[in-house]
Amino acid sequence: MNKVSIFFGHVAGNVGDIAINEGEHRLLRAAFPDAHLQFVTLRAAKSQFIDFAMPSMQLDDNTSVVHFMPQSINATGYVAAPETFLEACTASDADLIVLAAGEHVFSYANNTNTFNLFWRTLPLYVAKRLGIAVISMPATYGPFETSPGAELARLVAKMADDFSVRDVASSTEIADLVAEPVLVRPDPAFWLTSVRAKRQSGLYVFAMRSEGWGIRLNKALRDESTEQFSQDNYRDSLAFQYNLAVAKEILATSGSRITFAIQTLADEELSASVVKALADDYPGRVSLYRPTSIADYLLLLGSAQCVITSRFHAVIMAIVSGTPAIASYFPVHGHKMPGLLALLDSKKHCVEITPDNLQQAVLQSVEVLAATCNMLPVANAKLQQLRTEYIANLSHVVITSADSADVLKMSDILVRLAAELMLEGIQASQNKVSRQHASRLKVVQADTKNLQKRLDASVEDLNVYKNKSTQTVQQLQKEQSVLEQKLKDSLQQLELLTRREVSMKEQNAFFQELYEDAKAESQRLKRMLGIPI
């Protein structure tokens, strides 16, 4: 075996997802020590998590990573000419095609999952058309509420040269489709290398998830649930109520502590809300922690006395770390969690949470908590056997010829899905344009509204100015009238005074004339009387 191409490497902020990458690398390397391992990613080159995910795929120098960008316009071409798909992925020289583990093959009435059904089963179709061996890693399948999803799953199970599932419930789903037993094998993350950690007495690790988040919910439902729960910091969610109640039971024991692990960013707000609700009553005994890598997460889980989680890979990584776990799940997240615990012969360690059984779920978890030490011996014994058998089977995989009728059926389904992808792409483009137009319209409306406000303010300022101007003019006119009246009165007074002044001058002249006459008469009389003058 010279080259093994894995479709598709996980690129995400969830530590559990990238744990699949590392587990697959270690599993395939054990089966094919000298082969070049090529991970192909799906529309992930520009992902914000690409740097976080890359180390999980590149564990040695004989490994490469290729980023494939799917385009719906090329989908039918890949079905018609399968070699062009491998060329686009630089995998034309692959000796073995591997379908990666995960939970991408399902369909619901309100989530047909067209994108994943097409792109994640296409590599198998291409390989069988070109005569290349195909291994389908243990994955979760179903449920199937649409016929294309169910038929594709049946064809994958039938056409793969090695096919298995990773949980008992998926085995039942596929067995009903193919009418024969289906192998159940461990998830690749069970091939992670444990990290030596010092066990801390009294430490419990919680890894929560909201019932309103997950790949199985369509985007509209996820957005609606997130918005609804965010309004009250998730306090109305079942996840908050369950984890808070179980945490209080644990913290009631003296010396116990809880670290709430944020396995993915989607869990951060929920985890922080539970920590905040506990912090006042249990100061210094609860904390938040965001693992920075797979090894870092394993170290945390390995230091705990027990892990309480709704995260599938937190259960797996806890067991790898030698720590027992209590698993809980919401029906909306499918059957992988109860199927995993059934595989490990540990059904009692799995608790279903619904609105009707919340209190019962809390009580069951507390009861199981006292017996978690019994889990690991049973689970590890089962895992050891399954791991050994799987590596041996992979090493001797044999190419089988696919039934031509099955290839034709798969081709027909993929072409129909490709057409749906094209329509979805067109609709997405139309929606994008509509959103852009709506966004632009909002901007224009906002600008118009602002301009109207400014115009109204300017008119109001003008009216105020006009009112003030009118008042000023009226005041000036009033003052002018007063001044004019004052001037008129002053002129009248001046005229009167002038008249008085003329009269007084005339009187003075008259009296002066009388005085002069009297004086002359007096002198005349004195002369007549001989009186000296």
Side-chain angles (χ1 to χ4, degrees):
M1 190 70 64
N2 294 318
K3 183 175 180 179
V4 178
S5 294
I6 302 103
F7 295 85
F8 292 93
H10 294 272
V11 177
N14 188 331
V15 183
D17 289 338
I18 65 170
I20 294 176
N21 295 336
E22 183 171 327
E24 285 176 340
H25 191 291
R26 296 187 183 283
L27 170 58
L28 291 169
R29 182 58 75 219
F32 311 108
D34 300 321
H36 178 80
L37 303 182
Q38 178 197 54
F39 282 87
V40 181
T41 69
L42 187 64
R43 63 175 180 185
K46 296 182 179 179
S47 169
Q48 63 176 315
F49 303 114
I50 189 67
D51 292 337
F52 182 63
M54 287 295 285
S56 67
M57 294 180 276
Q58 295 179 310
L59 297 184
D60 58 38
D61 294 334
N62 199 17
T63 305
S64 61
V65 178
V66 173
H67 302 301
F68 172 69
M69 177 55 70
Q71 295 181 326
S72 57
I73 194 171
N74 297 328
T76 53
Y78 291 147
V79 178
E83 67 278 2
T84 60
F85 173 70
L86 292 185
E87 289 170 2
C89 300
T90 64
S92 299
D93 55 344
D95 302 304
L96 175 65
I97 298 295
V98 175
L99 301 187
E103 56 170 321
H104 296 97
V105 182
F106 63 86
S107 62
Y108 293 95
N110 63 353
N111 183 7
T112 54
N113 195 30
T114 307
F115 179 89
N116 283 314
L117 289 179
F118 179 86
W119 292 109
R120 294 184 185 277
T121 61
L122 177 66
L124 177 138
Y125 167 82
V126 168
K128 300 313 289 185
R129 281 282 305 273
L130 299 177
I132 303 173
V134 183
I135 291 173
S136 180
M137 283 282 173
T140 294
Y141 289 83
F144 302 104
E145 295 181 2
T146 64
S147 55
E151 184 62 7
L152 267 181
R154 184 188 74 82
L155 291 169
V156 169
K158 189 175 180 182
M159 294 167 63
D161 298 305
D162 186 278
F163 177 86
S164 57
V165 297
R166 64 182 184 179
D167 62 86
V168 173
S170 291
S171 175
T172 302
E173 284 273 351
I174 301 300
D176 290 343
L177 296 175
V178 299
E180 61 183 42
V182 174
L183 287 173
V184 186
R185 290 169 171 154
D187 181 278
F190 278 112
W191 272 263
L192 293 173
T193 301
S194 62
V195 177
R196 184 180 298 276
K198 183 179 180 181
R199 192 80 58 191
Q200 298 183 34
S201 177
L203 175 64
Y204 295 80
V205 172
F206 278 55
M208 300 182 290
R209 74 178 301 183
S210 164
E211 68 268 28
W213 189 261
I215 189 176
R216 295 172 179 275
L217 283 74
N218 62 41
K219 186 177 185 303
L221 287 175
R222 293 199 302 269
D223 292 345
E224 180 183 348
S225 298
T226 299
E227 181 179 1
Q228 175 187 344
F229 291 148
S230 294
Q231 290 176 356
D232 69 343
N233 294 321
Y234 282 82
R235 290 177 176 272
D236 282 342
S237 70
L238 290 175
F240 177 93
Q241 296 171 36
Y242 166 81
N243 285 283
L244 181 67
V246 174
K248 285 184 175 180
E249 292 288 341
I250 291 173
L251 292 169
T253 302
S254 177
S256 58
R257 293 167 290 114
I258 298 177
T259 294
F260 290 84
I262 303 170
Q263 182 172 305
T264 178
L265 291 177
D267 304 336
E268 185 169 17
E269 189 174 349
L270 168 63
S271 302
S273 185
V274 175
V275 169
K276 184 177 180 181
L278 294 168
D280 290 341
D281 292 334
Y282 306 97
R285 297 173 62 189
V286 292
S287 61
L288 275 176
Y289 188 74
R290 169 71 166 138
T292 57
S293 65
I294 295 170
D296 187 40
Y297 200 21
L298 289 170
L299 189 64
L300 173 66
L301 299 175
S303 65
Q305 183 173 320
C306 182
V307 173
I308 295 89
T309 183
S310 298
R311 285 289 176 187
F312 184 80
H313 283 96
V315 174
I316 294 173
M317 295 172 77
I319 293 172
V320 169
S321 301
T323 303
I326 297 175
S328 60
Y329 73 99
F330 305 97
V332 71
H333 292 144
H335 50 241
K336 64 178 181 178
M337 189 69 92
L340 170 64
L341 274 297
L343 171 65
L344 301 176
D345 296 329
S346 302
K347 288 183 179 181
K348 68 177 182 179
H349 287 79
C350 187
V351 180
E352 181 184 28
I353 305 172
T354 69
D356 297 328
N357 79 335
L358 179 60
Q359 295 304 319
Q360 180 183 346
V362 173
L363 292 175
Q364 181 182 346
S365 299
V366 174
E367 290 175 3
V368 173
L369 195 60
T372 52
C373 58
N374 299 327
M375 177 193 190
L376 289 178
V378 175
N380 285 329
K382 184 74 175 286
L383 285 169
Q384 182 60 39
Q385 176 187 354
L386 292 172
R387 282 163 51 98
T388 302
E389 292 175 356
Y390 192 20
I391 293 176
N393 287 337
L394 287 183
S395 302
H396 299 90
V397 63
V398 177
I399 301 176
T400 57
S401 298
D403 185 276
S404 58
D406 288 336
V407 174
L408 186 61
K409 285 180 182 178
M410 191 166 189
S411 173
D412 179 61
I413 294 173
L414 289 175
V415 168
R416 283 188 281 131
L417 290 177
E420 291 180 18
L421 287 174
M422 287 284 289
L423 290 174
E424 288 178 3
I426 293 171
Q427 184 63 53
S429 296
Q430 291 175 340
N431 291 339
K432 183 178 180 180
V433 171
S434 297
R435 287 193 301 270
Q436 289 174 341
H437 286 171
S439 177
R440 179 58 185 161
L441 179 59
K442 287 182 179 179
V443 171
V444 172
Q445 288 174 335
D447 289 345
T448 302
K449 188 175 182 180
N450 289 333
L451 287 173
Q452 186 63 50
K453 286 182 178 180
R454 290 171 61 185
L455 179 59
D456 291 343
S458 297
V459 171
E460 185 177 349
D461 290 343
L462 180 59
N463 289 333
V464 170
Y465 176 76
K466 287 172 65 178
N467 291 335
K468 288 184 177 180
S469 297
T470 301
Q471 292 173 358
T472 301
V473 170
Q474 290 174 347
Q475 181 66 27
L476 289 173
Q477 288 175 340
K478 184 177 179 181
E479 291 178 0
Q480 182 180 4
S481 297
V482 172
L483 289 173
E484 287 176 348
Q485 183 61 45
K486 288 183 177 180
L487 179 59
K488 184 177 179 180
D489 292 343
S490 296
L491 290 173
Q492 288 176 350
Q493 292 179 6
L494 179 60
E495 183 181 359
L496 178 60
L497 290 172
T498 301
R499 288 177 182 175
R500 288 179 180 177
E501 183 179 0
V502 170
S503 176
M504 289 180 65
K505 286 181 177 180
E506 289 176 348
Q507 289 178 10
N508 287 338
F510 175 72
F511 287 125
Q512 184 67 31
E513 185 178 350
L514 287 178
Y515 171 74
E516 291 297 334
D517 288 346
K519 181 179 179 183
E521 184 62 27
S522 173
Q523 290 178 347
R524 188 181 66 80
L525 289 173
K526 285 182 178 181
R527 281 194 299 268
M528 286 180 59
L529 297 174
I531 299 173
I533 300 175

